Amino acid sequence: MNIVHLLTEPFADYDFMRYALCSIVFLALGAAPVGVFLMMRRMSLVGDALGHAILPGAAAGYMIAGLSLPAMSLGGFIAGLLMALLAGLASRFADVREDASFAAFFLTCLALGVVLVSRGGNSVDLLNLLFGSILSVDRAALTLVAVVSSITMLILAVIYRPLMLESIDPLFLRAVNGKGTLWHIIFLILVVLNLVAGFQALGTLMSVGLMMLPAISARLWHKTMGGMMTIAAGIAIVCGFIGLLLSYYIDLPSGPAIILCCGFVYILSLFIGCENGILWRLYKRHRHHIA
């Protein structure tokens, strides 16, 4: 059995593996660029907070309509936006930092979500919401992920420049009446949309990993936004492909296997990344001393 056969057999033989791979590709194209912007805006933990905030909304949708994709997605979207709004208002009108406000709300939302699922379901339902099941992605879930990915790429292309300026110098954008708050709100909506799409496949805990780990790794390989977004999407796709193969051949849970691959790439990039990797920086320092 050759290497090509080993790499292609699961996807050639099983529809569910093809659906899983397609969902990873769509998630990578939408979520990874959003993760780069979160990282550059020093909002990495905000993505984690919003990921947890989706849980009570998804749980409420589950309690009302069962395992209904539209109900759970709508509930998660509303819950994520509501938490973002409340955290923003708390930081604006009270003497609380935005990151602290997000932390307080996401812990509360996580606890509320667990309570709701425990009251209305069972431990299996809770595990599915927290960790997802990418191998059970169907056409409806795949369509949702594809639509969200397409919307994300289109909107990012439209608001790329003002969003970049709002990320780098929000005071200047405010001074020239650049509607910085509007771009910030649109960006948060994109974050929530991608997390809602991701939790269908990877769960509320794992979806943030596919958004942030490739983005953080890409920063160690390139310094321009375009380069980082391209590399982040590529890392997410490759890690998704390898993670699915690991889950197929050695019986690992698929979602965690994918995120573990992303974590391994980050650790590797931390040492050998050609932009800010530890070994590369030591090499440049050594050459500087010799010169």
Side-chain angles (χ1 to χ4, degrees):
M1 185 177 291
N2 58 39
I3 186 68
V4 175
H5 184 72
L6 286 173
L7 294 176
T8 59
E9 179 189 10
F11 307 102
D13 291 348
Y14 299 104
D15 286 341
F16 69 88
M17 291 293 289
R18 289 195 290 272
Y19 285 162
L21 182 60
C22 287
S23 68
I24 284 294
V25 172
F26 287 128
L27 284 173
L29 294 176
V34 170
V36 171
F37 271 105
L38 279 173
M39 178 195 62
M40 296 304 293
R41 294 159 68 93
R42 299 182 180 180
M43 295 173 62
S44 299
L45 292 179
V46 171
D48 186 43
L50 290 174
H52 289 79
I54 289 170
L55 181 59
Y62 170 77
M63 293 178 67
I64 294 171
L67 289 173
S68 166
L69 179 63
M72 294 174 67
S73 300
L74 180 61
F77 181 70
I78 293 172
L81 283 185
L82 184 61
M83 199 212 80
L85 176 63
L86 291 175
L89 290 174
S91 62
R92 182 178 293 270
F93 295 106
D95 188 20
V96 181
R97 287 174 57 89
E98 188 175 32
D99 59 343
S101 182
F102 269 101
F105 277 106
F106 101 73
L107 290 169
T108 304
C109 288
L110 177 61
L112 176 61
V114 172
V115 169
L116 287 175
V117 176
S118 299
R119 295 285 295 178
N122 54 51
S123 59
V124 175
D125 300 325
L126 177 59
L127 287 174
N128 282 334
L129 283 176
L130 290 177
F131 300 105
S133 180
I134 195 167
L135 298 182
S136 64
V137 170
D138 56 12
R139 289 190 178 183
L142 185 58
T143 301
L144 172 67
V145 174
V147 169
V148 169
S149 177
S150 302
I151 291 173
T152 299
M153 289 188 288
L154 179 62
I155 293 179
L156 281 181
V158 172
I159 70 171
Y160 180 82
R161 288 189 176 182
L163 188 60
M164 274 286 294
L165 187 56
E166 200 267 337
S167 302
I168 297 170
D169 195 348
L171 294 179
F172 173 76
L173 192 64
R174 193 177 306 163
V176 298
N177 194 25
K179 302 178 181 178
T181 302
L182 173 63
W183 310 125
H184 184 69
I185 291 173
I186 292 174
F187 176 67
L188 285 179
I189 291 174
L190 289 181
V191 175
V192 175
L193 271 176
N194 280 274
L195 290 172
V196 168
F199 102 84
Q200 301 292 339
L202 296 170
T204 58
L205 296 184
M206 296 290 105
S207 60
V208 184
L210 194 70
M211 179 178 286
M212 294 312 308
L213 281 170
I216 299 169
S217 300
R219 182 66 183 88
L220 295 164
W221 291 98
H222 214 279
K223 60 182 178 181
T224 68
M225 285 296 291
M228 283 190 287
M229 288 192 288
T230 302
I231 292 171
I235 290 173
I237 292 171
V238 172
C239 289
F241 179 74
I242 295 173
L244 288 173
L245 288 176
L246 290 175
S247 71
Y248 179 80
Y249 284 115
I250 60 177
D251 198 26
L252 292 177
S254 52
I258 292 169
I259 304 307
L260 277 176
C261 288
C262 292
F264 175 77
V265 171
Y266 166 67
I267 294 172
L268 190 65
S269 303
L270 195 62
F271 284 96
I272 66 171
C274 61
E275 182 58 34
N276 287 301
I278 294 172
L279 296 180
W280 184 252
R281 293 180 68 179
L282 290 174
Y283 171 71
K284 288 194 293 185
R285 187 179 303 173
H286 177 67
R287 287 192 61 184
H288 177 72
H289 285 321
I290 292 177

